[in-house]
Amino acid sequence: MFLEINNVSKTFSTEEKQFTVFSDIQLTIKENQFVSILGPSGCGKSTLLSMVAGLEAATTGNITLQGKEIKEPGPDRGMVFQQPALFPWLNVRDNITFPLKGKIPQEEANKRADHFLKMVQLSRFKENYIFELSGGMQQRVAIARALAMDPKILLMDEPFGALDEQTRHIMHDELMKIWQETQKTILFVTHSIHEAIKLSDRIVVMGTRPGRVIADISVEIPRPRKRDDLKAIELENDIMRLLEGEINKVLKEELANEVEHSH
């Protein structure tokens, strides 16, 4: 298998108590697959993605990419965050070539940057500074930078979460084109059921408290997918029902905590 998450759990410890984010997560992801991880806040989606990125260590279990255990960040994994972590003092093209410095000749890095800028339709902005770009454009720069490193897998943590509806819609179509062109494996974290259905081959639904996988769904709807497609609507309703129980559980716990603390 391409990416294997083997019985992974994550526990944070403070002096007073231990908090288990999730336990026994077991997932395998195939090459070139577009997989979304969907679930309510606090179920550990972003923590799991950080572990695949090598930014967080598992408490138990392990994660392997093409048979090699992940212990730290590496160039085989490209990460795109919700807020594009770009350097304001560099122009667009230099932001993309920055991670390549010293790894490949500058000329080649520039060529690679230009190739991906064209792919994300930002060629004419390559000399611009980051503050001159809209949020959606900045996120495209972040995607181009991750792709320029030629990772084996692209990890995306709610990359369109901060964008308005219109821009997000455009970005979905862009990302689909990029994925079809580059054939990259994508692991995509989202809160949005609609986004997951529109983009993914497969949706992993996580429950909360404790975080765990409650469903693993293959999306058998031909692309490009429209929101009013009957199959998409049906799937959205099914997932919504799955998640409702999880969200109610969180609300109940939070209300109980509030009552406890008010006494």
Side-chain angles (χ1 to χ4, degrees):
M1 271 318 220
F2 181 71
L3 178 74
E4 291 194 70
I5 297 171
N6 305 308
N7 296 92
V8 163
S9 68
K10 182 68 181 173
T11 305
F12 290 107
S13 302
T14 60
E15 282 170 13
E16 292 92 55
K17 58 178 183 182
Q18 278 199 332
F19 173 67
T20 299
V21 187
F22 49 70
S23 55
D24 293 330
I25 300 279
Q26 182 73 36
L27 279 178
T28 55
I29 288 160
K30 291 188 191 131
E31 202 162 359
N32 313 126
Q33 236 182 5
F34 193 124
V35 180
S36 284
I37 302 177
L38 178 72
S41 294
C43 67
K45 309 182 290 292
S46 294
T47 305
L48 187 62
L49 201 70
S50 293
M51 289 159 107
V52 178
L55 300 167
E56 291 263 2
T59 307
T60 61
N62 68 5
I63 301 176
T64 61
L65 182 59
Q66 290 185 319
K68 210 175 114 205
E69 191 175 343
I70 292 172
K71 295 200 185 273
E72 58 189 359
D76 52 357
R77 285 151 287 143
M79 185 92 180
V80 180
F81 299 95
Q82 184 171 356
Q83 298 297 340
L86 302 166
F87 301 120
W89 61 90
L90 295 177
N91 68 22
V92 166
R93 190 207 229 171
D94 291 344
N95 260 285
I96 294 171
T97 59
F98 187 82
L100 300 168
K101 271 199 187 349
K103 295 190 177 76
I104 60 174
Q106 190 60 41
E107 199 181 328
E108 195 185 317
N110 288 343
K111 246 191 219 150
R112 210 183 274 190
D114 291 346
H115 171 73
F116 288 109
L117 276 171
K118 198 167 160 188
M119 196 179 276
V120 298
Q121 298 175 8
L122 285 179
S123 293
R124 60 197 182 88
F125 294 97
K126 66 181 173 195
E127 302 296 333
N128 288 58
Y129 285 91
I130 299 305
F131 64 86
E132 299 178 281
L133 307 182
S134 69
M137 289 159 89
Q138 290 184 20
Q139 206 48 301
R140 285 185 208 182
V141 176
I143 292 169
R145 180 179 59 185
L147 288 169
M149 296 178 69
D150 195 23
K152 290 176 178 154
I153 186 168
L154 200 53
L155 308 171
M156 308 186 86
D157 193 1
E158 293 196 49
F160 310 139
L163 305 177
D164 62 80
E165 191 69 26
Q166 223 49 46
T167 309
R168 189 187 286 196
H169 198 73
I170 295 165
M171 293 300 291
H172 288 161
D173 296 339
E174 294 277 306
L175 184 59
M176 273 294 93
K177 272 200 272 225
I178 290 166
W179 172 65
Q180 281 158 347
E181 254 176 75
T182 60
Q183 295 283 300
K184 293 285 175 206
T185 309
I186 296 180
L187 192 54
F188 188 98
V189 163
T190 178
H191 268 118
S192 161
I193 300 174
H194 167 62
E195 184 168 70
I197 292 171
K198 187 171 175 185
L199 298 173
S200 327
D201 293 324
R202 184 176 154 205
I203 301 171
V204 174
V205 185
M206 283 181 74
T208 186
R209 320 227 172 150
R212 68 217 179 284
V213 174
I214 56 173
D216 192 337
I217 302 161
S218 280
V219 186
E220 309 286 352
I221 304 168
R223 292 183 167 96
R225 297 175 184 153
K226 298 275 177 275
R227 193 166 201 159
D228 53 7
D229 181 301
L230 284 177
K231 279 189 181 152
I233 293 169
E234 217 170 283
L235 184 54
E236 191 157 349
N237 291 336
D238 288 350
I239 296 173
M240 195 62 222
R241 274 194 293 276
L242 271 175
L243 287 175
E244 254 163 23
E246 295 301 315
I247 293 163
N248 287 337
K249 207 160 67 180
V250 175
L251 292 176
K252 267 193 200 136
E253 270 189 38
E254 281 174 6
L255 282 173
N257 279 345
E258 269 177 38
V259 171
E260 216 174 285
H261 287 122
S262 63
H263 289 312

